[in-house]
Structure formats: structure tokens, C-alpha cells
Amino acid sequence: MKKLSLILVFSLVMLVNTQFVQATGENTPDIKSESAVMIDAKTGDILYQKNSSEQMYPASITKIITGILAIESGKLDDSVVVSSDAVRAEGTRVYLMEGEQVPLKKLVQGLLINSGNDAAVAIAEYVAGDVDSFADQMNAFAKKVGAENTHFVNPNGLFDEEHYTTAEDMAKITQYAMKNEEFREIVSTKELPWVGEGWETTLRNHHQLLWDYEGTIGVKNGYVDESKHTLVTAVSRDNLDVIIVTLKAPTSRAAYWDTMALGDYGFANFERQTLSAGTKIEALNGKTYPLKEDLAVTLPKGEEPVQEVSSDGELQLKDSSGYVLLSHTLFKEKEKEKEASATVDSKSVEPVDSTFMQSVVKASIFLYSGLLLLLAFLVILRMRSQKHKHKKMRQVARSYVK
């Protein structure tokens, strides 16, 4: 009995310690997935990572890119004629029929909710003309959002050695996609009636955490033998929005448990902090500059961002380890030069002003002298004219005397 009591006391101590560690942010989850990352969906700050830059096979989370490209094509209301190649797509399908006409938006819904590989091919062919051209668009899109270690060859994620990504890249891609309201609405849809020529059913979203984890708003799961289980999840809770990517989990359950563990860790230990527009930041030159916009960073709870301003006017917000979370231009070099020229010593300006004034005085004297000479010349001419007139009048007067 005494031994049992000791065990219970020890267990209670361990439980208290575990809760304390979680509260202080030190209980980094031990996850089963080979690669993972968690970022703040608003700021992009990394809250957790495990082999996040290692190249992996994505499987059906590829469809996140296919979906956002289709939405941004501006053709969602168009009717797509399904090809024979789309119908023959392997794996999960929404059972399209060759020649069937389906709105592009409905294909995107079948793609993201039910993971339809046939819908993916139909989308690619309609948006870009063929699968290869669509893959080129996918790769261009990846580069645009900063996914530098990613390469796609198909729109559905079926295995190919040249079809790969990283957890970090998928987080960036998803961060971009989730800013689109149409995309958010589709990936958060739990169930959707589906009526097609080859299939009539109710689609049920394959992302199980929409039901099982508070705050989940999508986005996509995947599986092929070579990639194992992949999962991308967006969760919003407690004024924090996170995107969690887990790659190569051994089982579906492991992928979900890893995601929930990371979510719990993130919400328990991190918070988003905002420096509001108008906040005055002191620079190295001793001057203060007001922020022109809100700046947000995500840090462990209780930690303040470290502010540093470089000589060229760049504000950096860092965490306690020195990692740069955000860079923002307070003032530009041209503004700095303008300030410097405005504070030049007045003595250095005097010679310029003195020379200018001397030139003005000389020009004035020259102009005044010229006017005097002209006036004198006119006076002389008038005097000579008057003298000549008087002489003539005297001659006329003498003629009358005679």
C-alpha cells in the first residue's frame, strides 16, 4: 500500500511537471512524422520544425496547388468537357464520364473535398491545355510564393521521382492559398451533395480533423506508398492561426496525432504580438521614426521582440536567440542623405552665397552704369538739338530786323 502511494505521488509530481513545462514552452512534441513544420499563417514565423527543408514526396497534398491555380484562373463558372485521359486517372476519383460537362468549380470541389484524381486531370487540361503545361504553371507558382525546393510533374500527386516538395514549401504554398476566400470555403466544407453522370452521392471531406480538432478549417491529406501519409492542416484558435504540415507519417493516425500535438504545443506556448502603426522607433542617428503600418510577429508567450535598426534604416525584429522574424524599412538612404545635406554647417554654405551676391552686385553696377551712360548720351543729344534750334531762331530774327 505504501509502495502504491509512492507511485501515485510520483505520478502526480510528473503530471505537474509536465503541465509546467508545457506552460513555459519547453515541451517540444516528439512526433512520428519524418518531416514537419508549423508556422503562423499570418506572419509566416516558424513555431516548430523537424527536417522541414528535406525533400519529400507530397502525394495528394499536391492538390492544394492545383486547386488555387484553378480558382485564380478566373474560369470557375466555365463548363469543362471531361477527356478520356481524365477518366482513366488512377486512384481516388469522383467517377467522371468521358464527354461529361462539369463546371470548373465543381471539379475543384471534387478535387479538394474528395481528392478526385480524375478531377485534377480535367482541371489541368482545361486551365493549361494539357498536364505538362499545367505542371509548368505549378512550378512557376511555387517559385512565386518562395517554394524553392519544390518540383511538380502532375496535378494530383501520383508518385514520380521528379515530383517532390518540402514541409516548409508546402506551408508557404498553403499560407498563400488560404488567403483566398473561395479556396478557404471549399477546403472547410465537411459534406457536399454530388450529382454526376457516373456518380451520385454526398462527398465527405477526407480531412478528419474538421470533425475532431477544434478550430480546424482544412486543408488536405494524402497517401501513396512512396510518400506514406502526408497532411496539411490550418487551425484558427485563441487569436492565433497556424498551418501545420506533416510528411511521411507511418500511419494515418500518426499524421493526425502529430498534427494535434503540434497544434496543442503552438496554442499553449505562442502568441502573436503587434507593433501598431504610429509607434515611434529610435534609429542609430538618434532620430525617431513612426511606423507607417502594423507589424506583427509571433513569439513564445511572455517574450518581447528585440528591435534593431541598421545604419541604412532597416528595422529588424528578432527573437531572443537572434533569429530575424521581420524586416521593415524605417527610412531610405536617399532620405538619410537629404537629412545630412540639410544639417551641413552654415560656414560651408557662405562662400557659395557670397559669390552669388558678388555676382549680383557686379551685374547691378554694370547695368546701372550702362543706364547712366545712356541717359547722359540722351541729355547731350537734347542739348545739341536745343542749341541748334536757338541758333536758327536768331538767324530768322536778324532777317526781320533788316
Side-chain angles (χ1 to χ4, degrees), residues 80-297:
V80 178
V81 179
V82 179
S83 72
S84 59
D85 287 340
V87 171
R88 291 196 298 266
E90 300 176 5
T92 308
R93 295 179 291 162
V94 286
Y95 301 100
L96 300 173
M97 303 291 289
E98 184 176 352
E100 181 179 0
Q101 296 187 22
V102 185
L104 182 61
K105 180 175 180 178
K106 184 175 180 179
L107 291 175
V108 175
Q109 292 169 327
L111 171 88
L112 294 173
I113 297 173
N114 198 69
S115 202
N117 290 336
D118 48 358
V121 174
I123 291 169
E125 292 177 336
Y126 185 74
V127 171
D130 56 66
V131 167
D132 290 341
S133 297
F134 189 78
D136 290 339
Q137 290 187 14
M138 296 171 74
N139 292 320
F141 168 82
K143 294 295 184 291
K144 182 180 77 170
V145 300
E148 298 292 337
N149 297 310
T150 290
H151 185 262
F152 299 115
V153 298
N154 63 59
N156 45 35
L158 291 175
F159 174 72
D160 188 294
E161 288 187 355
E162 296 303 314
H163 190 95
Y164 54 80
T165 189
T166 68
E168 187 175 351
D169 281 359
M170 282 307 306
K172 292 177 181 178
I173 290 167
T174 306
Q175 181 186 23
Y176 177 94
M178 291 299 289
K179 293 176 183 178
N180 185 289
E181 289 301 322
E182 191 81 51
F183 183 91
R184 288 173 67 94
E185 180 185 348
I186 293 174
V187 298
S188 64
T189 301
K190 291 183 176 181
E191 294 183 338
L192 181 74
W194 181 273
V195 179
E197 291 184 9
W199 199 33
E200 183 172 340
T201 188
T202 296
L203 302 183
R204 189 179 192 275
N205 200 308
H206 287 194
H207 200 307
Q208 187 60 37
L209 294 189
L210 283 169
W211 286 267
D212 295 343
Y213 193 62
E214 179 188 353
T216 299
I217 48 178
V219 289
K220 192 71 188 74
N221 65 327
Y223 175 84
V224 293
D225 289 342
E226 294 81 0
S227 71
K228 301 306 178 187
H229 294 270
T230 62
L231 187 63
V232 178
T233 308
V235 189
S236 182
R237 194 196 303 172
D238 301 333
N239 197 35
L240 187 62
D241 310 275
V242 298
I243 293 170
I244 303 168
V245 181
T246 59
L247 301 179
K248 208 169 185 178
T251 65
S252 175
R253 176 175 292 184
Y256 286 123
W257 277 105
D258 284 351
T259 296
M260 289 188 289
L262 289 173
D264 289 347
Y265 168 72
F267 293 119
N269 295 292
F270 292 91
E271 63 182 357
R272 188 182 304 132
Q273 300 183 28
T274 302
L275 289 178
S276 301
T279 301
K280 293 183 178 180
I281 306 295
E282 184 174 351
L284 293 176
N285 59 12
K287 295 182 176 295
T288 57
Y289 296 86
L291 293 178
K292 297 180 180 179
E293 60 186 66
D294 291 347
L295 301 181
V297 292

Side-chain angles (χ1 to χ4, degrees), residues 16 30 136 217 286 297 318 345:
V16 171
D30 180 20
D136 290 339
I217 48 178
V297 292
K318 301 181 178 181
D345 192 280

